Amino acid sequence: MTHRSAVRHNHRPFYVTVESATVRDTRISYRALGLLTYCLDQADSWQVRSEQLAHGEGREGRDAVRKALHELAAHGYYRLERRRFLDGTTAMGAAVSRFPVEQWAQDYVTFGKKLDVPVIEQQDGSFRVRYPNGDLGPDGFTPDPAPTVPGDAPTTVPEREPQQEPQPEPKSEAKPKKKTRRTPPAAARAAAKKNQQARAREEPGEAAGAAKEKTPAQQVATWYYDHAKQHLGPYAGKQKSGWYFGLVKLSQQALDAEYTQKQVAKAFQRTGVHFPTAHQFQRALSDERNNKPMPAQYGGRPAPYSDAATWGADSAATLRATQDHDDGAVFGIVPA
């Protein structure tokens, strides 16, 4: 200690390196200087989030943190980078400097005083800034930067280079083949309708005849529409057209699920109503696929009761043995 009133430093092995010029930079506040020091002390994988920096005891709040980040960005200490890599992927990351970078301060003004700047990866692994006019310029990173003292003459910034066309990556011969995706039924129907309209413009006569042909879903809906009016009476709803188009929609959904036209038609008949709900229709479809007998009021007969069908063959035999040998106890189904 050379002076009796000198500052005594209490050091530990772990510390953050900050240039003296940065500490003495009077353009930034103590709040911004403290936030910069905190960011420099984090690992490379740490993500700068204003919400995270605002949490915890002794923090000043999100607005104060964002104001400090803009203050650091305006003087070339910090910025966000929207990075695009050679393989086409993108990522958002922060860039923090221990000394003021004049290029960063200029980019902050160029991009409307926003924190984020788009950068493009180059073949040598470096990044270049993509400006609004499409040009590529330096990103401000230098392999061996010279210290900058605030107030000195600004360092000469290299001129922006014209945009370079990215070189295509060499194609690998051993790339696995991509699995072909199955076209959704709705997309297939839309494509068929579009092709039909195109043929109508080219050959009006032929396309008009094809347009009159009904789709499988329309065929089922038309059949049940007539069947319901004949056996269930006239429809009492407000919009008969809505009833028919609702049947077409339910029919198409069932056909897309690989039910047959016959199963769909019988399922409508099972419901016993003019326009079944989706729940009623799905229940009828399940019963039709499982070959359950139709209720008597809809033209079918209920299945007769069977102990073997209800309890199983073994359980039915045990039940009969119990009935034969039990003292006066009778267990069974009383017919209705």
Side-chain angles (χ1 to χ4, degrees):
M1 186 169 59
T2 59
H3 196 275
R4 291 186 178 183
S5 60
V7 178
R8 292 198 303 154
H9 295 275
N10 191 12
H11 291 287
R12 281 187 174 179
F14 303 102
Y15 52 87
V16 179
T17 303
V18 182
E19 288 189 1
S20 177
T22 300
V23 177
R24 298 176 182 274
D25 192 347
T26 57
R27 300 176 301 171
I28 60 176
S29 62
Y30 287 132
R31 172 195 293 170
L33 179 60
L35 185 59
L36 174 63
T37 306
Y38 181 79
C39 293
L40 291 173
D41 191 42
Q42 305 303 320
D44 293 342
S45 59
W46 183 71
Q47 298 291 329
V48 179
R49 296 288 185 270
S50 57
E51 291 82 0
Q52 181 181 0
L53 292 170
H55 289 328
E57 186 177 356
R59 306 307 182 198
E60 296 184 273
R62 185 179 61 179
D63 293 339
V65 170
R66 288 181 175 177
K67 183 178 179 181
L69 290 176
H70 277 276
E71 185 179 344
L72 293 173
H75 296 95
Y77 289 99
Y78 168 82
R79 73 179 179 187
L80 287 175
E81 295 180 336
R82 288 185 280 113
R83 301 165 183 165
R84 176 173 292 277
F85 299 92
L86 291 175
D87 57 0
T89 59
T90 59
M92 180 72 79
V96 184
S97 177
R98 289 177 168 83
F99 53 90
V101 182
E102 187 66 24
Q103 182 65 48
W104 292 11
Q106 293 182 7
D107 291 342
Y108 177 76
V109 177
T110 301
F111 287 94
K113 296 185 178 181
K114 295 182 179 180
L115 293 179
D116 57 309
V117 174
V119 295
I120 311 296
E121 185 184 16
Q122 304 301 304
Q123 294 292 338
D124 58 355
S126 62
F127 288 88
R128 304 190 74 79
V129 178
R130 180 184 292 276
Y131 290 96
N133 62 355
D135 292 346
L136 296 180
D139 62 349
F141 280 86
T142 54
D144 188 13
T148 305
V149 179
D152 292 349
T155 306
T156 303
V157 180
E159 296 182 356
R160 300 175 187 174
E161 297 180 2
Q163 181 180 359
Q164 298 179 355
E165 293 293 335
Q167 299 180 359
E169 297 182 0
K171 296 183 179 180
S172 176
E173 299 179 356
K175 282 187 177 181
K177 295 183 179 179
K178 294 183 178 180
K179 297 182 179 179
T180 56
R181 296 178 59 185
R182 178 185 175 186
T183 304
R189 290 195 299 272
K193 184 177 180 180
K194 187 175 181 181
N195 293 336
Q196 182 177 349
Q197 293 174 352
R199 291 197 304 269
R201 290 190 294 267
E202 297 176 358
E203 302 176 1
E206 181 181 352
K212 294 181 180 179
E213 297 181 1
K214 294 183 178 181
T215 64
Q218 291 174 341
Q219 293 174 2
V220 176
T222 302
W223 173 85
Y224 186 68
Y225 186 87
D226 298 334
H227 175 84
K229 288 193 299 183
Q230 180 180 358
H231 295 278
L232 302 179
Y235 184 65
K238 294 182 179 179
Q239 295 181 351
K240 294 184 179 180
S241 60
W243 166 31
Y244 171 75
F245 289 117
L247 296 177
V248 174
K249 182 178 180 181
L250 290 176
S251 302
Q252 190 61 61
Q253 291 175 349
L255 294 175
D256 291 343
E258 299 182 355
Y259 287 93
T260 64
Q261 285 183 282
K262 185 177 181 180
Q263 289 175 331
V264 176
K266 287 190 174 183
F268 278 128
Q269 189 178 2
R270 280 177 177 272
T271 62
V273 296
H274 288 81
F275 181 35
T277 63
H279 175 75
Q280 292 173 330
F281 183 59
Q282 182 60 53
R283 179 66 180 270
L285 277 174
S286 302
D287 291 344
E288 180 61 34
R289 173 164 285 186
N290 295 328
N291 296 321
K292 291 186 178 181
M294 293 181 62
Q297 61 268 35
Y298 302 145
R301 295 182 178 179
Y305 176 79
S306 171
D307 285 339
T310 304
W311 306 101
D314 297 337
S315 299
T318 304
L319 177 62
R320 288 193 298 271
T322 304
Q323 293 176 351
D324 295 340
H325 296 87
D326 197 3
D327 296 335
V330 178
F331 177 79
I333 303 298
V334 179

